């Protein structure tokens, strides 16, 4: 069968699964999205986009209307009807910093019941190293079929940046590892329909698993370094952004941006997958652990800046949080540092309010804070800017006169504010 005649099942209609399904459907593949959530399935079948991602709305509508994209919650039937199966379900983390693989194992336990000879199974979910070899492959082989001989098995980590997902999925380099060359080649051929970027074939599946974890850990460690530089600069009364900008002119230096901590479902979680595998072994991944500790301590540093500067306050002193999303211009609040800042402020019984132009009121209020308008947040006694949304880049000194302003992201020029006598503090900033 020509690859173009394949029917593709995409398990997990989330932030990555939906764009993946849609882009394959746009390339005239017959795609069946599979999700345990019936609401999500009916939204897709009605051409409704359940997530915020630039450009996705129109693509869902057109691919569903043209009949290339359908969705179902019947996991076994989907596997039996399709020849290529892509797994992009979430791998959240337990409280004790261990990966929860239950979505992955649940999908595999269903897929094995519909698996057929010559099918190709590709895993895209972020997983700890050796998960395919030790967990996924054995479950799929309970079908009685053997990977590499009866069916093909590959791992290709998703690496698209939320809010730029469609562009990155169609332009980024794709990394593929497989149980044998045929698995790698067939998976690579499939991705070549979607991305203009090169396809990098790595030695085996564990290498491909490590690529993803090392990329996100690299970023976490670099953000931690930037945050540590910010704390040192604060102590020295030099402006960390001024220093970073100058240092980054060096051709081999790329210091990341300090901020209130690392949120999102990826960078704040994936390093734990590497820390966890080594817990009984000889290697202590101390840099990775320390980076996590530094990044997780940043919300407490925001509270420290507050308390070192406000002096005696009345009971009716109010604090307005600007931004609960984990980063600018997204509605995603997973692992957001704002949640930690709100929790710390609530524990100390401050009167806290929050605004976010992208996040629905009920989600904001799920963090135990009252959702208010932008104007109301700006009228609080202290305003803490947490997220680098474009809207907040338009804040001018006039909007915030007589307030205490903690700007945790380097999106505003401190000098503009101090010139107008705004009490402005940033992370590692001088004014
Ligand atoms: N952040 C900083 N300083 C920086 C960069 C980011 O404080 O210099 C913060 C952000 O504000 C945010 C968090 O880190 O809270 C993560 O944001 P991000 O934009 O760096 O990354 P994610 O989590 O949205 O997406 C990452 C990407 N990985 C890399 O850039 C190596 C993306 O390509 C992956 O597909 C995604 O993780 C994933 O799914 O793993």
């Amino acid at each position: 069968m020509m690859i173009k005649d394949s029917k593709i099942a995409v398990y997990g209609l989330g932030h990555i699964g939906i764009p993946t399904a849609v882009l394959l459907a746009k390339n005239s593949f017959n795609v069946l999205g599979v999700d345990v959530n019936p609401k999500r399935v009916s939204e897709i079948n009605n051409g409704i986009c359940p997530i915020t991602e630039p450009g996705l709305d129109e693509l869902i509508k057109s691919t569903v209307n043209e009949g290339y994209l359908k969705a179902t919650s019947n996991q076994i039937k989907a596997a039996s009807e399709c020849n290529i199966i892509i797994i992009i379900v979430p791998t959240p983390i337990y409280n004790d910093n261990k990966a929860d693989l239950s979505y992955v194992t649940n999908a595999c336990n269903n897929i094995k019941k519909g698996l057929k000879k010559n099918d190709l199974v590709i895993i895209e979910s972020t997983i700890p190293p050796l998960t395919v070899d030790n967990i996924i492959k054995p479950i799929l082989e309970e079908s009685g079929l053997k990977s590499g001989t009866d069916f093909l098995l590959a791992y290709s980590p998703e690496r698209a940046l939320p809010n730029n997902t469609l562009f990155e999925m169609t332009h980024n380099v794709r990394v593929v590892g497989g149980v044998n060359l045929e698995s790698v080649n067939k998976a690579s051929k499939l991705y070549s329909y979607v991305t203009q970027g090169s396809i990098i074939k790595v030695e085996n599946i564990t290498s491909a698993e490590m690529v993803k974890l090392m990329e996100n850990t690299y970023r976490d460690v670099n953000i931690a370094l930037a945050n540590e530089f910010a704390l040192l600069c604060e102590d020295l009364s030099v402006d960390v952004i001024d220093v970073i900008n100058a240092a980054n002119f060096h051709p081999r230096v790329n210091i990341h941006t300090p901020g209130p901590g690392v949120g999102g479902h990826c960078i704040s979680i994936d390093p734990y997958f590497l820390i966890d595998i080594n817990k009984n072994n000889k290697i202590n991944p101390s840099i990775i652990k320390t980076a996590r500790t530094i990044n997780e301590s940043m919300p407490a540093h925001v509270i420290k800046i507050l308390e070192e500067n406000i002096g005696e306050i009345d009971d009716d002193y109010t604090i307005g949080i600007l931004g609960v999303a984990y980063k600018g211009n997204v509605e995603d609040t997973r692992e957001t540092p704002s949640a930690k800042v709100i929790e710390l402020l609530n524990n100390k019984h401050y009167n806290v309010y929050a605004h976010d132009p992208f996040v629905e009121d009920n989600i904001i209020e799920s963090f135990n804070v009252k959702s208010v308008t932008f104007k109301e947040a700006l009228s609080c006694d202290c305003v803490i800017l947490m997220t680098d949304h474009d809207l907040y880049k338009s804040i001018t000194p006039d909007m915030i006169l007589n307030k205490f302003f903690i700007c945790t992201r380097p999106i505003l020029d401190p000098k503009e504010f101090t010139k107008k006598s705004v009490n402005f503090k940033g992370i590692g900033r001088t004014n």
Side-chain angles (χ1 to χ4, degrees):
M1 189 205 296
M2 301 290 286
I3 195 160
K4 269 274 62 162
D5 301 325
S6 307
K7 194 164 175 199
I8 304 175
V10 176
Y11 284 70
L13 296 174
H15 286 81
I16 299 294
I18 297 175
T20 302
V22 163
L23 287 172
L24 287 163
K26 185 178 165 249
N27 281 288
S28 312
F29 283 99
N30 281 307
V31 181
L32 190 55
V34 191
D35 203 284
V36 290
N37 178 355
K39 183 165 173 261
R40 195 139 278 204
V41 168
S42 79
E43 281 168 333
I44 300 291
N45 282 330
N46 288 307
I48 298 166
C49 182
I51 57 168
T52 312
E53 187 61 50
L56 197 57
D57 281 47
E58 304 87 75
L59 276 180
I60 290 194
K61 265 193 210 88
S62 61
T63 51
V64 170
N65 280 342
E66 288 159 13
Y68 286 112
L69 176 63
K70 295 190 174 68
T72 179
S73 46
N74 192 331
Q75 299 195 54
I76 301 174
K77 192 156 173 267
S80 63
E81 282 175 3
C82 294
N83 344 83
I84 297 181
I85 291 156
I86 304 180
I87 304 174
I88 322 183
V89 294
T91 44
I93 198 140
Y94 283 126
N95 285 338
D96 60 356
N97 294 332
K98 275 182 185 314
D100 172 1
L101 296 174
S102 59
Y103 293 92
V104 173
T105 53
N106 171 58
C108 292
N109 274 311
N110 285 300
I111 291 164
K112 77 177 181 205
K113 295 179 190 150
L115 197 66
K116 304 165 299 306
K117 243 183 173 289
N118 301 323
D119 281 355
L120 164 66
V121 180
I122 307 175
I123 295 98
E124 288 199 20
S125 303
T126 306
I127 42 181
L130 296 171
T131 301
V132 174
D133 281 357
N134 292 349
I135 298 172
I136 294 178
K137 191 164 82 173
I139 296 178
L140 295 174
E141 290 188 343
E142 285 167 16
S143 61
L145 301 171
K146 187 132 186 52
S147 67
T149 44
D150 299 323
F151 73 96
L152 304 179
L153 181 59
Y155 180 73
S156 178
E158 63 80 8
R159 293 144 81 231
L161 194 73
N163 209 33
N164 198 28
T165 302
L166 291 175
F167 179 85
E168 294 216 343
M169 276 189 180
T170 49
H171 292 82
N172 281 5
V173 161
R174 191 93 217 185
V175 172
V176 184
V179 286
N180 60 358
L181 196 59
E182 203 189 339
S183 299
V184 175
N185 287 345
K186 189 160 179 192
S188 301
K189 178 89 191 139
L190 178 71
Y191 289 119
S192 71
Y193 284 97
V194 174
T195 183
Q196 299 170 26
S198 333
I199 314 278
I200 308 293
K201 299 174 182 179
V202 291
E203 218 167 302
N204 55 41
I205 284 184
T206 312
S207 308
E209 290 171 334
M210 280 301 274
V211 169
K212 169 67 187 252
L213 299 174
M214 284 165 60
E215 287 169 350
N216 279 354
T217 302
Y218 161 88
R219 207 150 157 83
D220 195 47
V221 169
N222 274 283
I223 297 168
L225 183 63
N227 284 333
E228 190 155 81
F229 285 154
L231 301 179
L232 291 169
C233 285
E234 231 168 75
D235 203 43
L236 293 167
S237 298
V238 295
D239 191 288
V240 71
I241 299 300
D242 188 36
V243 180
I244 290 175
N245 287 343
N248 281 351
F249 277 107
H250 188 290
R252 285 175 297 285
V253 172
N254 176 24
I255 303 171
H256 288 30
T257 311
V262 173
H265 186 55
C266 311
I267 296 181
S268 61
I269 290 179
D270 296 356
Y272 287 117
F273 292 5
L274 292 182
I275 293 169
D276 191 45
I277 46 162
N278 280 313
K279 66 182 179 314
N280 303 318
N281 297 352
K282 323 110 231 176
I283 297 151
N284 175 20
S286 56
I287 292 180
I288 305 175
K289 285 186 194 166
T290 305
R292 280 283 74 231
T293 307
I294 293 171
N295 289 336
E296 283 177 354
S297 74
M298 294 312 288
H301 185 67
V302 175
I303 311 299
K304 186 165 168 254
I305 295 174
L306 172 80
E307 296 194 326
E308 280 178 357
N309 287 281
I310 51 175
E312 284 284 302
I313 53 162
D314 297 332
D315 284 349
D316 56 4
Y317 189 86
T318 53
I319 298 175
I321 303 288
L322 293 179
V324 295
Y326 80 92
K327 68 174 184 179
N329 308 322
V330 301
E331 98 293 1
D332 197 336
T333 58
R334 290 177 296 177
E335 317 300 325
T336 175
S338 304
K340 191 72 199 165
V341 165
I342 292 167
E343 185 192 323
L344 293 170
L345 292 170
N346 281 341
N347 288 347
K348 295 184 166 217
H349 307 293
Y350 287 104
N351 305 307
V352 193
Y353 302 88
H355 167 261
D356 195 297
F358 287 85
V359 184
E360 286 174 17
D361 288 350
N362 62 322
I363 309 252
I364 295 179
E365 300 201 341
S366 71
F367 295 111
N368 299 320
V369 67
K370 189 165 171 7
S371 175
V372 293
T373 63
F374 184 31
K375 205 166 158 219
E376 285 167 335
L378 285 172
S379 69
C380 289
D381 298 306
C382 168
V383 176
I384 307 182
L385 186 153
M386 289 293 295
T387 311
D388 42 355
H389 290 312
D390 283 347
L391 172 67
Y392 300 154
K393 294 177 185 163
S394 65
I395 296 173
T396 57
D398 299 339
M399 293 159 83
I400 205 142
L401 290 177
N402 306 318
K403 313 288 173 196
F404 176 36
F405 186 27
I406 304 177
C407 185
T408 69
R409 306 277 187 171
I411 57 171
L412 296 168
D413 181 0
K415 290 188 185 63
E416 293 297 315
F417 287 79
T418 45
K419 228 166 39 195
K420 295 271 181 94
S421 305
V422 174
N423 187 3
F424 183 109
K425 289 274 178 241
I427 293 184
R429 309 303 306 264
T430 53
N431 40 40

